[in-house]
């Protein structure tokens, strides 16, 4: 009995509190609504899950492409900005003169075969070759010798 009295008291209190509010008309769901509801909820949930997985894939692809482009950019920068070992630094005439004086024997080997072709029976002394090279260095550019 106590529970019935309690429920009645609660109902009276609710009616008193909501007396100023308009009454809500109770609608009944269409026939078969609750039969189809679980399928509708599951279909909607699977659609939302597939959309989320597509978005995740696209972000993974974007991040992958950004990483590849960053690697290519850094690699290209390192390749094109590396010091070129094969480029020779310019030298002065004094440095060339000093090098030739220190390595005159190597130059004699280059000049002798050419001299033999030009002069058939005569041999040029080493001192003459040395003097010739020194004169050529003093008169012009060492690169013109070759």
């Amino acid at each position: 009995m106590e529970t019935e009295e309690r429920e009645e008291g609660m109902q009276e209190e609710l009616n008193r509190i909501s007396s100023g509010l308009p009454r809500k008309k109770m609608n009944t769901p269409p026939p078969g609504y609750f039969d189809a509801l679980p399928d509708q909820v599951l279909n909607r949930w699977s659609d939302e899950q597939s959309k989320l997985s597509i978005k995740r894939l696209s972000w993974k692809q974007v991040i992958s492409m950004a990483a590849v482009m960053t690697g290519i950019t850094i690699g290209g920068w390192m390749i094109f900005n590396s010091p070129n070992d094969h480029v020779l630094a310019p030298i002065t005439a004094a440095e060339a003169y000093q090098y030739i004086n220190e390595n005159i024997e190597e130059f004699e080997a280059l000049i002798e075969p050419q001299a033999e072709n030009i002069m058939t029976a005569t041999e040029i002394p080493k001192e003459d070759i040395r003097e010739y090279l020194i004169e050529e260095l003093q008169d012009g550019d060492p690169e013109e010798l070759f």
Side-chain angles (χ1 to χ4, degrees):
M1 273 264 189
E2 281 184 31
T3 56
E4 288 179 20
E5 290 177 9
R6 257 181 151 181
E7 286 180 19
E8 286 178 16
M10 287 165 61
Q11 192 63 37
E12 286 176 19
E13 186 175 344
L14 285 173
N15 288 336
R16 198 171 17 117
I17 293 173
S18 65
S19 62
L21 299 174
R23 292 271 177 199
K24 185 175 180 182
K25 182 180 173 185
M26 292 296 282
N27 291 331
T28 57
Y33 175 77
F34 290 108
D35 295 335
L37 183 64
D39 292 332
Q40 289 175 351
V41 170
L42 289 175
N43 288 337
R44 189 172 180 186
W45 179 76
S46 64
D47 288 344
E48 287 179 9
Q49 287 298 319
S50 66
K51 288 178 184 177
L52 289 175
S53 66
I54 291 172
K55 287 181 183 178
R56 286 184 192 144
L57 287 177
S58 67
W59 278 107
K60 287 180 181 179
Q61 290 173 347
V62 169
I63 290 170
S64 298
M65 287 189 298
V68 167
M69 291 303 293
T70 302
I72 289 172
T73 303
I74 290 172
W77 180 79
M78 290 176 71
I79 288 171
F80 291 114
N81 284 337
S82 66
N84 296 331
D85 295 335
H86 61 277
V87 176
L88 298 176
I91 59 171
T92 63
E95 291 172 336
Y97 176 75
Q98 180 183 0
Y99 179 78
I100 290 173
N101 274 335
E102 291 173 359
N103 302 298
I104 193 70
E105 293 81 23
E106 294 176 25
F107 290 101
E108 289 173 352
L110 293 173
I111 295 174
E112 283 182 14
Q114 293 175 356
E116 287 177 9
N117 291 339
I118 296 172
M119 308 187 94
T120 56
T122 60
E123 200 167 308
I124 302 172
K126 290 183 179 183
E127 273 307 309
D128 292 343
I129 295 172
R130 176 174 269 163
E131 288 177 22
Y132 171 76
L133 288 173
I134 291 171
E135 286 175 9
E136 286 297 316
L137 279 174
Q138 290 173 348
D139 292 342
D141 190 16
E143 292 178 7
E144 293 176 4
L145 287 175
F146 307 102

